[in-house]
Amino acid sequence: MGSVPDDVAILNARLGKPGAIEFSMSELGGIVARLSSAAGTALVALKGGQVLSWMPAGEREVLWLSPMARLDGPKAVRGGVPVCWPWFGPHPADAHLPAHGFARTSEWRCVASQAKDDAVFVTLECEPGATARSLWPHSARLSLGVTLADTLRLDLTTTNTGSDPLAISEALHTYLGVGDISRTGVEGLDGARYIDSVDASTIKKQSGPITFDRETDRIYVGTHAQVSIRDPIFARRITITKEGSASTVVWNPWIDKAARLGDVGADGYRDFVCVETANAGPDLVTIAPGASHRLTTILAVEP
Ligand code: TA6
């Protein structure tokens, strides 16, 4: 048995819950918290505060994770639920800044844990380094609550600790595993308007379910709708309910963009769809000094 790194041993002593919450050094090269209950298991990395896995009891993995995922490099991990904050997509004013902000490449620390009945909770807080703080000269606290029950709930809370109003955009950029993207449908956005990012950001209106036969990258705006992903191959429906979110982003890179990204794997584009609980595009969030905003996504799986 190799020696357990001190920080893992300290985390387990302080925040571990036998049979429910265990910290370990992942073979991906970073510390992860494994949440377990009768309802299933989940894995949360301290890097980026990123949920990497959710397996409800008796169900296959719900989230997709890049075969190239590493927790010990500077790159964001592709897959699971990346935290896009304090901006979504390219920085609105400076294209040199990292896409989707710096939370997903920052170290986070676990500050609370709880296991009761069939629910297991951990709370993580983002610890942006000096570089991140230099990129974004504002004062805010960012926390992520992860609740494993028969659903998986993520609560991303921004607190404005400064003296000026704070404007952010954000997303819980969920990668959902599917049997075959070309057989997958996303339902619940019929009639919603969207920004089509692969067609000169043209504004369009959704008609019926979203299906996939090419690169698809859309920000549905002004919508609070529950969305479901119909997967006939895995014979399941994943439902996403959200709070504090006015946008839903739907993305699949398809063949050429997946090849350019380089960390999707051969044909990996077929294996996932991103349905993201967000505040993006025109749906900026402005937080008054001392106030907080919570972005919540709740995933459920039905046969
Ligand atoms: O959410 C869709 C999107 O904004 C796409 O435009 C694509 O860039 C994707 O996010 C992944 O971004 P990443 O920086 O993780 O490669």
mmCIF file of all heavy atoms in Angstrom, residues 78 88-89 99-100 104 173 175 217 249 251 257 261 276, ligand 1:
data_model
loop_
_atom_site.group_PDB
_atom_site.id
_atom_site.type_symbol
_atom_site.label_atom_id
_atom_site.label_comp_id
_atom_site.label_asym_id
_atom_site.label_seq_id
_atom_site.Cartn_x
_atom_site.Cartn_y
_atom_site.Cartn_z
ATOM 1 N N ARG A 78 -11.576 18.017 -20.122
ATOM 2 C CA ARG A 78 -12.765 17.926 -20.986
ATOM 3 C C ARG A 78 -13.628 16.770 -20.512
ATOM 4 O O ARG A 78 -13.210 15.609 -20.511
ATOM 5 C CB ARG A 78 -12.398 17.727 -22.453
ATOM 6 C CG ARG A 78 -13.642 17.804 -23.361
ATOM 7 C CD ARG A 78 -13.297 17.803 -24.809
ATOM 8 N NE ARG A 78 -12.312 18.814 -25.164
ATOM 9 C CZ ARG A 78 -12.555 20.125 -25.223
ATOM 10 N NH1 ARG A 78 -13.774 20.594 -24.926
ATOM 11 N NH2 ARG A 78 -11.603 20.987 -25.545
ATOM 12 N N PHE A 88 -18.490 33.131 -19.664
ATOM 13 C CA PHE A 88 -18.780 31.959 -20.498
ATOM 14 C C PHE A 88 -18.230 32.228 -21.901
ATOM 15 O O PHE A 88 -18.449 33.323 -22.446
ATOM 16 C CB PHE A 88 -20.285 31.699 -20.581
ATOM 17 C CG PHE A 88 -20.618 30.589 -21.520
ATOM 18 C CD1 PHE A 88 -20.577 29.268 -21.097
ATOM 19 C CD2 PHE A 88 -20.916 30.851 -22.854
ATOM 20 C CE1 PHE A 88 -20.845 28.240 -21.989
ATOM 21 C CE2 PHE A 88 -21.177 29.828 -23.746
ATOM 22 C CZ PHE A 88 -21.139 28.516 -23.298
ATOM 23 N N GLY A 89 -17.532 31.232 -22.495
ATOM 24 C CA GLY A 89 -17.031 31.409 -23.851
ATOM 25 C C GLY A 89 -15.817 32.327 -23.859
ATOM 26 O O GLY A 89 -15.142 32.506 -22.851
ATOM 27 N N ALA A 99 -10.654 30.937 -22.497
ATOM 28 C CA ALA A 99 -12.089 30.720 -22.755
ATOM 29 C C ALA A 99 -12.738 30.119 -21.511
ATOM 30 O O ALA A 99 -12.113 29.320 -20.796
ATOM 31 C CB ALA A 99 -12.269 29.762 -23.934
ATOM 32 N N HIS A 100 -13.955 30.535 -21.219
ATOM 33 C CA HIS A 100 -14.733 30.017 -20.103
ATOM 34 C C HIS A 100 -14.175 30.364 -18.731
ATOM 35 O O HIS A 100 -14.494 29.722 -17.731
ATOM 36 C CB HIS A 100 -14.913 28.488 -20.213
ATOM 37 C CG HIS A 100 -15.771 28.054 -21.361
ATOM 38 N ND1 HIS A 100 -16.914 28.721 -21.762
ATOM 39 C CD2 HIS A 100 -15.634 27.011 -22.216
ATOM 40 C CE1 HIS A 100 -17.442 28.098 -22.802
ATOM 41 N NE2 HIS A 100 -16.697 27.068 -23.119
ATOM 42 N N ARG A 104 -12.237 26.757 -13.816
ATOM 43 C CA ARG A 104 -12.062 25.327 -14.138
ATOM 44 C C ARG A 104 -10.594 24.901 -14.193
ATOM 45 O O ARG A 104 -10.289 23.716 -14.260
ATOM 46 C CB ARG A 104 -12.757 24.976 -15.451
ATOM 47 C CG ARG A 104 -12.200 25.691 -16.662
ATOM 48 C CD ARG A 104 -12.888 25.236 -17.941
ATOM 49 N NE ARG A 104 -12.363 25.944 -19.122
ATOM 50 C CZ ARG A 104 -12.569 25.549 -20.366
ATOM 51 N NH1 ARG A 104 -13.306 24.464 -20.606
ATOM 52 N NH2 ARG A 104 -12.064 26.219 -21.383
ATOM 53 N N HIS A 173 -21.062 23.219 -17.375
ATOM 54 C CA HIS A 173 -20.908 22.796 -18.771
ATOM 55 C C HIS A 173 -20.975 21.256 -18.875
ATOM 56 O O HIS A 173 -19.996 20.605 -19.251
ATOM 57 C CB HIS A 173 -19.547 23.325 -19.237
ATOM 58 C CG HIS A 173 -19.265 23.270 -20.698
ATOM 59 N ND1 HIS A 173 -19.215 22.112 -21.428
ATOM 60 C CD2 HIS A 173 -18.974 24.256 -21.593
ATOM 61 C CE1 HIS A 173 -18.912 22.390 -22.693
ATOM 62 N NE2 HIS A 173 -18.771 23.663 -22.820
ATOM 63 N N TYR A 175 -21.195 17.469 -19.652
ATOM 64 C CA TYR A 175 -20.984 16.510 -20.754
ATOM 65 C C TYR A 175 -21.766 15.238 -20.410
ATOM 66 O O TYR A 175 -21.393 14.503 -19.487
ATOM 67 C CB TYR A 175 -19.503 16.155 -20.886
ATOM 68 C CG TYR A 175 -18.618 17.198 -21.531
ATOM 69 C CD1 TYR A 175 -18.231 18.340 -20.844
ATOM 70 C CD2 TYR A 175 -18.134 17.015 -22.833
ATOM 71 C CE1 TYR A 175 -17.394 19.290 -21.430
ATOM 72 C CE2 TYR A 175 -17.303 17.946 -23.433
ATOM 73 C CZ TYR A 175 -16.938 19.087 -22.727
ATOM 74 O OH TYR A 175 -16.111 20.015 -23.315
ATOM 75 N N ASP A 217 -23.848 24.242 -31.917
ATOM 76 C CA ASP A 217 -23.347 25.059 -30.809
ATOM 77 C C ASP A 217 -24.321 26.220 -30.622
ATOM 78 O O ASP A 217 -24.290 27.196 -31.361
ATOM 79 C CB ASP A 217 -21.942 25.594 -31.166
ATOM 80 C CG ASP A 217 -21.247 26.199 -29.957
ATOM 81 O OD1 ASP A 217 -21.894 26.361 -28.906
ATOM 82 O OD2 ASP A 217 -20.039 26.508 -30.065
ATOM 83 N N VAL A 249 -27.176 25.939 -22.936
ATOM 84 C CA VAL A 249 -26.275 25.793 -24.086
ATOM 85 C C VAL A 249 -26.276 24.335 -24.517
ATOM 86 O O VAL A 249 -26.192 23.437 -23.667
ATOM 87 C CB VAL A 249 -24.851 26.243 -23.718
ATOM 88 C CG1 VAL A 249 -23.903 26.093 -24.915
ATOM 89 C CG2 VAL A 249 -24.858 27.695 -23.234
ATOM 90 N N TRP A 251 -24.351 21.683 -27.180
ATOM 91 C CA TRP A 251 -23.143 21.630 -28.006
ATOM 92 C C TRP A 251 -22.727 20.208 -28.313
ATOM 93 O O TRP A 251 -22.737 19.340 -27.425
ATOM 94 C CB TRP A 251 -21.977 22.336 -27.300
ATOM 95 C CG TRP A 251 -20.668 22.269 -28.043
ATOM 96 C CD1 TRP A 251 -20.411 22.762 -29.296
ATOM 97 C CD2 TRP A 251 -19.441 21.668 -27.586
ATOM 98 N NE1 TRP A 251 -19.098 22.498 -29.647
ATOM 99 C CE2 TRP A 251 -18.482 21.837 -28.620
ATOM 100 C CE3 TRP A 251 -19.053 21.026 -26.397
ATOM 101 C CZ2 TRP A 251 -17.172 21.393 -28.501
ATOM 102 C CZ3 TRP A 251 -17.746 20.567 -26.287
ATOM 103 C CH2 TRP A 251 -16.825 20.754 -27.329
ATOM 104 N N LYS A 257 -14.488 19.548 -35.776
ATOM 105 C CA LYS A 257 -14.094 20.305 -34.575
ATOM 106 C C LYS A 257 -13.535 19.350 -33.529
ATOM 107 O O LYS A 257 -12.545 19.661 -32.856
ATOM 108 C CB LYS A 257 -15.262 21.099 -34.001
ATOM 109 C CG LYS A 257 -14.933 21.759 -32.656
ATOM 110 C CD LYS A 257 -15.197 23.222 -32.607
ATOM 111 C CE LYS A 257 -14.673 23.856 -31.317
ATOM 112 N NZ LYS A 257 -15.254 25.178 -31.037
ATOM 113 N N LEU A 261 -9.998 19.697 -31.659
ATOM 114 C CA LEU A 261 -9.843 19.808 -30.202
ATOM 115 C C LEU A 261 -8.750 18.866 -29.702
ATOM 116 O O LEU A 261 -8.015 19.183 -28.772
ATOM 117 C CB LEU A 261 -11.177 19.496 -29.514
ATOM 118 C CG LEU A 261 -12.279 20.536 -29.686
ATOM 119 C CD1 LEU A 261 -13.588 20.016 -29.118
ATOM 120 C CD2 LEU A 261 -11.897 21.853 -29.015
ATOM 121 N N GLU A 276 -25.936 22.494 -21.109
ATOM 122 C CA GLU A 276 -25.293 23.285 -20.064
ATOM 123 C C GLU A 276 -26.263 24.259 -19.413
ATOM 124 O O GLU A 276 -26.934 25.037 -20.119
ATOM 125 C CB GLU A 276 -24.120 24.047 -20.677
ATOM 126 C CG GLU A 276 -23.150 23.136 -21.436
ATOM 127 C CD GLU A 276 -22.324 23.887 -22.463
ATOM 128 O OE1 GLU A 276 -21.963 25.050 -22.174
ATOM 129 O OE2 GLU A 276 -22.037 23.344 -23.537
HETATM 130 O O1 TA6 B 1 -20.377 25.324 -24.601
HETATM 131 C C1 TA6 B 1 -20.057 25.313 -25.954
HETATM 132 C C2 TA6 B 1 -18.666 25.915 -26.136
HETATM 133 O O2 TA6 B 1 -18.652 27.280 -25.829
HETATM 134 C C3 TA6 B 1 -18.213 25.618 -27.570
HETATM 135 O O3 TA6 B 1 -18.148 26.800 -28.345
HETATM 136 C C4 TA6 B 1 -16.849 24.948 -27.383
HETATM 137 O O4 TA6 B 1 -15.833 25.907 -27.378
HETATM 138 C C5 TA6 B 1 -17.043 24.286 -26.027
HETATM 139 O O5 TA6 B 1 -17.728 25.265 -25.257
HETATM 140 C C6 TA6 B 1 -15.795 23.733 -25.378
HETATM 141 O O6 TA6 B 1 -14.956 24.772 -24.983
HETATM 142 P P1 TA6 B 1 -13.503 24.349 -24.384
HETATM 143 O O7 TA6 B 1 -12.850 25.637 -24.048
HETATM 144 O O8 TA6 B 1 -13.763 23.480 -23.180
HETATM 145 O O9 TA6 B 1 -12.849 23.554 -25.496
#
